[in-house]
Amino acid sequence: MEPTLTARPEKQGTSLFLLKSFARSLRQFLNQTSLHGLKFVGDSSLSSWERSFFLGSFVTALIITVHLISNIYVKWDSTPVIIGISPQATSILKVPFPAITICNMNQVQRSLVANYREGSNESALLKVLCESGGWESSPTDEEFSASKYATNNLKISEFVSNHSQSCERMLLFCRFSAVERNCSKLFQQILTDEGLCCVFNFQPPEYLYKPFTMNSRNLTNADGYESVMWDPESGYPDKLPPKFYPAPASGTGITLGFTAVLHAEMDEYYCSSTNGPGFKVYFHNPVEVPKVKEAGLISAIGYETNYRIEMIRAEAVPAIRSISRDGRQCLFKNEKQLIFYRIYTRLNCENECLAAFLYETCSCIPFDHPLIYSNASICSMGDTSCVRRAQRASNRPGWAKCRQQCLPSCFDLNYLASGFSFPLASNNFQLANALVESFNKSYLSENIAVINVYFRESVYYGNTKNAYVGLTEFLSNVGGVMGLFMGFSVISLAEILYFLILKPLAELFVWKRSSHVDSESSLKHNAFGIEQKQSSDNPSFFHPKELYPKGFSPGVYEKEKSMKGFN
């Protein structure tokens, strides 16, 4: 029983000693701190109401400081990114000329489909292809449509490829960077949601698609141009061949831009994707597969249309990588891997989401969507009703969740085109383009369209995403508020740590060590530094050796006893 009886007073003595040491350090801290107002709270020469006044002022300042700091934190947490204009201009020579996709609004050539009899599979496909909105529109009677096309196994992609106007027939003249070029080598055929189209300056397939993809878009170039890897984040490689694509512009203006003479072949019109003849022109990022139906610009027959291009460039500083994706609302290229495409963009991601939804719904993927699964089949006429049903707006929430994960790219490149047109010549006089001048004026106004694409400025300023309130700014704002209202600094934190934590603990350590040394030297000692009888008579009494292990002056000790009320 004796060890238990002696251990409890020793524990009580340690706690009481630590409490008294903390009280002394607190008084010393109040007298010497640099925090505004607390020095007067600890000043014993002031009256109680004066000390209470300064204590209330300090508490008020502390509450205001906490409130303002919470506002700063909320702003830091809710608005982590700010978009500003890049301070440095970027030359158009460092980015690709826009990829240009041109589509004749005529879906098929009349001479190639005129012999299909009514009721045949080809005739049914033509009706679907020429309906308003195309084969992905919503039919009036879906049950009738399903039974009508159920046994039709024709591939719409193959039919369109074999019966639409070829690029060689549509493109009569091409000029790029003031050099006349062979259109058949400059453009390649590509299947889009607008049918068979021709694309220029598109990213090579080996850099755009994953290796396993069975891609029918064979975009080779036989004009001496080598393909290079380019993406909006990394840009061009350091070493470039003399001739490469995606190619940049050589300068500004029509002369150093792109010019094409387009042949509509009005005699071959069978059905149009709009309410009239003409062409759709779409300017897009070279790493994005074009979606022409909704975003293509109209080039009218019998007119020359000038498209003035402006750059819309999104950039980001590396510092925002530390911010969460939901906070910065953008993705770097290595943060999300796509199934079909090598390069991440929001449009590519959304295309994959829609393809996955259609495959899950119809067990096939339409020809104008990415073939995200190597074993997936391309939809035929028999799948038309299912695809139409899935494409209806009421069913689209089924893939909305996937689209929500398709955040914009932190580095992106888009092109904004402003076009204006004027009619081609209707009278006989000399024209600038020899090919255009050679046409009969009536034939020119009924079949020919001319487009010019060029940059307006030689440089552009991108939109840069940066941290709205970085760590440095956050600490500066917090430090400014605390310094203004409380006079707080890093040294103030050191004062608090020293006086209220380190100093009491150090005194306790010295006291414990001194007690241990006295015990080993067989001095008569217990937890209170006096005999047990004295402790039981006066348990609140401390031997001065315990509070002043390094020695003390009797006069000082007597003075401190009188101040504490000891007799």
Side-chain angles (χ1 to χ4, degrees):
M1 297 297 295
E2 185 176 352
T4 305
L5 293 174
T6 58
R8 185 175 180 182
E10 182 178 356
K11 183 177 180 180
Q12 290 179 346
T14 301
S15 301
L16 189 58
F17 177 86
L18 186 61
L19 180 62
K20 288 182 174 293
S21 179
F22 177 81
R24 289 196 308 273
S25 297
L26 178 61
R27 287 194 297 270
Q28 189 176 1
F29 169 73
L30 294 176
N31 291 327
Q32 299 181 10
T33 182
S34 59
L35 292 177
H36 297 167
L38 288 184
K39 193 175 293 186
F40 301 105
V41 174
D43 191 354
S44 59
S45 63
L46 297 178
S47 61
S48 299
W49 75 267
E50 289 175 319
R51 297 168 70 179
S52 300
F53 170 78
F54 284 108
L55 178 60
S57 301
F58 179 81
V59 172
T60 302
L62 179 62
I63 294 174
I64 296 174
T65 300
V66 171
H67 175 69
L68 294 178
I69 291 176
S70 65
N71 291 342
I72 294 173
Y73 176 78
V74 169
K75 188 176 182 180
W76 182 39
D77 184 63
S78 62
T79 314
V81 173
I82 185 173
I83 301 177
I85 299 176
S86 175
Q88 296 180 348
T90 304
S91 172
I92 59 173
L93 305 180
K94 296 183 178 181
V95 295
F97 196 76
I100 304 174
T101 301
I102 306 174
C103 308
N104 193 333
M105 289 187 286
N106 182 27
Q107 296 298 289
V108 291
Q109 298 285 285
R110 177 181 294 275
S111 61
L112 299 178
V113 300
N115 295 329
Y116 293 130
R117 68 180 187 277
E118 184 69 24
S120 64
N121 288 342
E122 290 81 4
S123 176
L125 191 152
L126 285 173
K127 289 181 179 180
V128 171
L129 196 63
C130 295
E131 285 179 358
S132 176
W135 78 302
E136 294 179 352
S137 62
S138 180
T140 305
D141 189 350
E142 292 181 354
E143 294 182 0
F144 172 77
S145 178
S147 60
K148 183 178 180 180
Y149 302 137
T151 59
N152 194 334
N153 294 322
L154 288 179
K155 298 289 185 181
I156 297 180
S157 57
E158 295 178 0
F159 187 89
V160 170
S161 298
N162 296 329
H163 294 81
S164 298
Q165 184 189 36
S166 64
C167 294
E168 289 80 3
R169 299 180 64 174
M170 181 176 68
L171 295 155
L172 302 179
F173 173 87
C174 295
R175 184 179 64 207
F176 180 58
S177 296
V179 178
E180 186 175 343
R181 302 279 298 278
N182 188 331
C183 295
S184 61
K185 295 180 179 179
L186 196 66
F187 279 83
Q188 291 81 37
Q189 294 187 162
I190 183 172
L191 286 170
T192 70
D193 54 356
E194 189 66 22
L196 187 66
C197 302
C198 307
V199 63
F200 156 68
N201 214 35
F202 194 51
Q203 182 77 46
E206 61 268 23
Y207 297 131
L208 183 61
Y209 307 113
K210 295 290 180 69
F212 76 84
T213 56
M214 300 174 60
N215 176 46
S216 59
R217 302 179 176 118
N218 183 20
L219 305 177
T220 58
N221 194 302
D223 200 17
Y225 277 72
E226 299 181 35
S227 61
V228 297
M229 178 63 185
W230 176 89
D231 65 75
E233 184 170 341
S234 302
Y236 284 113
D238 295 333
K239 294 183 179 180
L240 292 170
K243 299 169 69 175
F244 59 91
Y245 74 101
S250 299
T252 59
I254 294 177
T255 303
L256 295 178
F258 171 82
T259 299
V261 177
L262 310 177
H263 192 195
E265 293 185 330
M266 285 300 301
D267 294 340
E268 290 286 355
Y269 258 69
Y270 181 83
C271 63
S272 174
S273 60
T274 60
N275 295 320
F279 302 90
K280 281 188 178 181
V281 184
Y282 182 56
F283 308 102
H284 55 99
N285 191 321
V287 301
E288 292 182 340
V289 175
K291 291 293 182 181
V292 186
K293 182 181 289 292
E294 304 296 338
L297 303 177
I298 303 297
S299 291
I301 298 174
Y303 284 82
E304 181 169 349
T305 306
N306 291 345
Y307 294 103
R308 189 171 57 190
I309 303 296
E310 295 183 12
M311 305 285 296
I312 302 177
R313 168 78 167 170
E315 302 171 348
V317 298
I320 70 170
R321 281 183 179 268
S322 59
I323 302 174
S324 66
R325 298 181 184 183
D326 294 335
R328 55 179 141 96
Q329 284 295 297
C330 72
L331 291 174
F332 291 92
K333 68 175 184 179
N334 59 349
E335 290 185 324
K336 185 176 178 65
Q337 296 295 322
L338 300 180
I339 302 173
F340 184 79
Y341 300 102
R342 286 182 181 271
I343 302 173
Y344 175 86
T345 69
R346 180 173 61 179
L347 181 59
N348 289 346
C349 179
E350 291 178 350
N351 289 341
E352 288 195 359
C353 285
L354 182 54
F357 170 71
L358 293 175
Y359 182 77
E360 181 181 352
T361 306
C362 303
S363 300
C364 67
I365 299 177
F367 70 90
D368 56 333
H369 289 72
L371 197 64
I372 57 175
Y373 306 123
S374 58
N375 59 345
S377 61
I378 298 177
C379 295
S380 63
M381 275 292 296
D383 304 305
T384 301
S385 299
C386 179
V387 173
R388 283 177 163 175
R389 224 172 13 249
Q391 288 280 23
R392 291 179 60 183
S394 58
N395 294 330
R396 292 200 175 196
W399 55 282
K401 185 177 181 180
C402 177
R403 289 187 63 190
Q404 291 175 358
Q405 305 300 320
C406 297
L407 296 176
S409 301
C410 293
F411 287 83
D412 201 2
L413 184 65
N414 290 292
Y415 303 89
L416 179 64
S418 54
F420 52 94
S421 304
F422 52 91
L424 296 174
S426 57
N427 299 320
N428 290 322
F429 54 84
Q430 187 174 353
L431 303 179
N433 189 302
L435 177 64
V436 176
E437 186 183 12
S438 65
F439 284 106
N440 178 277
K441 296 304 179 285
S442 61
Y443 189 86
L444 185 68
S445 60
E446 295 175 0
N447 291 274
I448 302 300
V450 180
I451 62 172
N452 299 301
V453 185
Y454 59 95
F455 283 118
R456 184 183 69 174
E457 302 288 346
S458 60
V459 297
Y460 67 92
Y461 291 88
N463 297 324
T464 303
K465 290 189 176 184
N466 205 340
Y468 185 40
V469 181
L471 181 61
T472 302
E473 291 79 7
F474 177 76
L475 293 177
S476 299
N477 293 340
V478 171
V481 170
M482 298 183 72
L484 177 65
F485 285 91
M486 302 173 58
F488 186 90
S489 67
V490 176
I491 301 301
S492 302
L493 186 62
E495 292 175 356
I496 296 174
L497 179 65
Y498 171 74
F499 283 105
L500 303 185
I501 299 177
L502 297 181
K503 193 171 184 295
L505 292 178
E507 291 182 352
L508 178 63
F509 174 75
V510 173
W511 178 71
K512 283 284 189 180
R513 185 177 181 183
S514 175
S515 301
H516 181 67
V517 170
D518 289 348
S519 177
E520 288 184 349
S521 60
S522 300
L523 295 175
K524 191 174 182 179
H525 176 269
N526 55 40
F528 294 90
I530 58 176
E531 293 183 25
Q532 186 65 33
K533 182 179 179 180
Q534 292 174 318
S535 299
S536 60
D537 294 338
N538 189 8
S540 62
F541 181 83
F542 276 82
H543 194 280
K545 178 67 176 178
E546 307 304 326
L547 296 180
Y548 305 95
K550 294 185 179 181
F552 66 99
S553 171
V556 174
Y557 174 64
E558 293 298 331
K559 181 179 180 181
E560 186 165 324
K561 282 176 57 180
S562 63
M563 291 177 62
K564 295 181 179 180
F566 290 96
N567 295 321

